[in-house]
Every structure is written in structure tokens, then in C-alpha cells.
């Protein structure tokens, strides 16, 4: 098992999408689950790449190559994460990365994992302005609005979007969860979100908790 995990990690480090895709497929064939691949190969390696970037050992093109390789793995994993609960929709979630922020790897992982756990997810993408979040609440009437922010310069957008939702008079129509590197529980309390998740597992936990651990009540 460790061999395949190591191959995925090395491929991510080298920014080699082909290697990462192939070794993800091999790992699955050997019976390693998608959850284990995410938890032991993808997340720790992206954290490591972040440290290298922060320390100036690697540069943006390297990070881009690694994130491309990460998406190659997610591409292989997506059907497995999503298909497990196709018939049992537990609720509807609208998700997006806030305005000014182009990071989407974590958001995509959260989205896929929530779909795998039985939720329907509408993904608004990256760099989403507050007006689009508001239109999506009005149009889709989701149970949860999930927002991602990875930069200290963009977490303020989380507060801005929530304030815009309050001003629109629709705050009581939706529960709001947030996430991303700089987000803390203190910040969540300060901006009046309903909760946050530190990682994909935390995301599922908070969403299930907020929706009362219901099973199959929406769009069945
Ligand atoms: C990949 C990456 C990029 C890629 C993004 C590619 C892409 N398609 O996403 C590129 C090269 C484009 C990029 C650009 C920049 N980046 Co960058 N990037 C990273 C890096 C290395 C990894 C991020 C990542 O994908 N992590 C892996 C995923 C799985 O983790 P995650 O995103 O944190 O998501 C998890 C949790 O946070 C949580 N989560 C996330 N969203 C949500 C949402 C909800 C609702 C919930 C519940 C949970 C949740 O669950 C996820 C899964 O476990 C990080 C370093 C790091 N360690 O985070 C820097 C980092 C985020 N970037 C950084 C910076 C500074 C930048 C740039 C400003 C660089 C520059 N000088 O231009 C630009 C900004 C561009 C912009 N406007 O957005 C800094 C941010 C510092 C800060 N605190 O503000 C970091 C921390 C690097 C560093 N150490 O300095 N970056």
C-alpha cells in the first residue's frame, strides 16, 4: 500500500499528472480506498508543497504543475466519491470560492466528498462575487451555503458575503459553512457563520450536524 501512496506523493511533488493519475488508478485497483488516498497522499503532500512554496524553495509554476497533478488524481477519484450515494440525496449545497480567490483544490475535494456522502452540490466555481452567492440562494434554495477562502486577503470576503446575505433579508433561509487555511472557529463566530470544517472530514461532520443527520429528504 505504502508504495502506491509514495508514488502518488512523488508524482505530486514532481508535478507529473500522468504518474499521479496512473498511480491513483493502481492504488484503487490494489484496494486502497479513495478516502485513504486523499487523507494519506493528497492532503499531506499539498501541505508539504505549501511549505516549500512559503520557504521559497519552489515557485508558482511548480505549484501550478502540482495542482494540475492533484486534479488528475481527483479526476480518477471523483466517480467513486460521488457514485456511492446517488439515490439518497440528503440535502442541497451551493459551494464556491470567494471573490479574488482562485484556489479551488480544497473546495473541489470538499464538493466531491459531500457528493459522496449523499448531498447534491452546485459548484459556482472560483472568484465568486457576493451577488452570485445571493442569486444562487434565491434560485436554488439550498440547505447550506459553503464558501472557501485560502488567502488572508480574501477571508474578509466571507464576512462581506454574509453581510450581503443579511442585508438581502435571506440570512434565515440558509445555513452557512466556511473553510480554507486562514479560517478559525473564532473567525467563524465573529462573522456569524454556522460552522466551519478544517478539512473534508470536518466539512462532512459540520454539514451533517447542521442538517440534523437527516437521510434522504431532498430531491429523491
Ligand atoms: C495550490 C496553491 C496555489 C495555486 C492554486 C491552484 C488551484 N487550482 O487551486 C496557485 C498557483 C494558482 C496559487 C496562487 C496563489 N497563491 Co496559493 N497556494 C497553493 C497551495 C500550495 C496549496 C493549496 C491547496 O490546494 N491545498 C490543498 C487543499 C486540499 O487544502 P485546502 O485548500 O486548505 O483545503 C482544505 C481545507 O482548507 C478545507 N476547506 C477548503 N475550502 C473549504 C470550504 C468549506 C466550506 C469547508 C467546510 C472546508 C474547506 O478542506 C480542504 C480539504 O481538506 C497553498 C499552500 C497550502 N499549504 O495551503 C498556497 C497558498 C494558499 N497560496 C498563497 C499565496 C500567497 C498565493 C498567491 C497570492 C501567490 C502570488 N504571489 O501570486 C496566489 C493568489 C492567487 C489568487 N488570487 O487566488 C499562500 C496564502 C498565504 C495567506 N495566508 O494569505 C499559501 C498558504 C502559500 C504560502 N504558504 O504562502 N496558489
Amino acid at each position: 500500500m505504502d508504495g502506491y501512496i509514495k508514488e502518488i506523493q512523488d508524482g505530486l511533488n514532481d508535478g507529473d499528472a500522468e504518474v499521479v493519475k496512473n498511480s491513483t488508478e493502481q492504488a484503487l485497483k490494489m484496494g486502497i480506498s479513495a478516502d485513504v488516498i486523499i487523507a494519506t497522499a493528497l492532503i499531506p503532500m499539498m501541505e508539504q508543497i505549501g511549505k516549500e512554496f512559503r520557504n521559497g524553495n519552489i515557485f508558482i509554476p511548480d505549484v501550478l504543475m502540482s495542482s494540475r497533478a492533484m486534479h488528475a488524481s481527483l479526476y480518477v477519484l471523483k466517480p467513486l466519491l460521488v457514485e456511492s450515494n446517488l439515490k439518497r440525496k440528503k440535502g442541497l449545497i451551493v459551494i464556491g470560492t470567494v471573490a479574488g480567490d482562485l484556489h479551488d483544490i480544497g473546495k473541489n475535494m470538499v464538493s466531491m466528498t459531500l457528493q459522496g456522502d449523499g448531498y447534491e452540490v452546485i459548484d459556482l466555481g472560483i472568484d465568486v462575487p457576493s451577488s452570485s452567492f445571493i442569486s444562487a440562494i434565491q434560485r436554488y434554495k439550498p440547505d447550506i451555503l459553503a464558501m472557501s477562502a485560502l488567502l488572508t486577503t480574501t477571508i474578509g470576503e466571507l464576512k462581506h458575503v454574509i453581510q450581503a446575505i443579511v442585508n438581502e433579508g435571506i440570512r434565515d433561509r440558509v445555513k452557512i459553512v466556511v473553510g480554507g487555511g486562514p479560517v478559525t472557529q473564532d473567525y467563524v463566530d465573529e462573522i456569524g457563520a454556522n460552522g466551519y470544517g478544517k478539512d473534508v472530514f470536518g466539512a462532512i461532520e459540520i454539514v451533517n450536524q447542521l442538517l440534523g443527520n437527516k437521510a434522504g429528504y431532498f430531491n429523491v
Side-chain angles (χ1 to χ4, degrees), residues 43 46-47 49-51 53-54 60 63-64 67 70-71 95 100-107 109-110 146-153 177-182 196-200 203 206:
I43 292 179
M46 287 315 284
E47 276 169 9
I49 287 164
K51 278 189 200 134
F53 178 59
R54 194 168 42 230
I60 288 189
V63 178
L64 269 178
S67 66
M70 174 94 168
H71 277 115
I95 193 167
D101 202 320
L102 307 178
H103 295 84
D104 67 354
I105 296 174
K107 167 186 71 64
M109 286 174 70
V110 168
M147 293 187 285
S148 182
L150 264 280
L151 299 168
T152 40
T153 50
V177 298
V178 293
Y196 102 112
K198 195 175 177 315
D199 52 28
V200 283
I206 186 68

Side-chain angles (χ1 to χ4, degrees), residues 21 27 33 36 39 52 57 61 65 79 124-125 132 168:
K21 180 171 174 284
S33 74
V36 168
E52 299 286 331
N57 300 331
M65 293 297 281
L124 303 181
S132 300
E168 197 67 26

Side-chain angles (χ1 to χ4, degrees), residues 6-17 19-20 23 45 65-66 69:
K6 172 96 174 45
E7 263 179 48
I8 297 172
Q9 291 179 336
D10 288 347
L12 283 173
N13 199 28
D14 298 342
D16 192 330
V19 165
V20 172
S23 38
M45 200 60 213
M65 293 297 281
S66 294

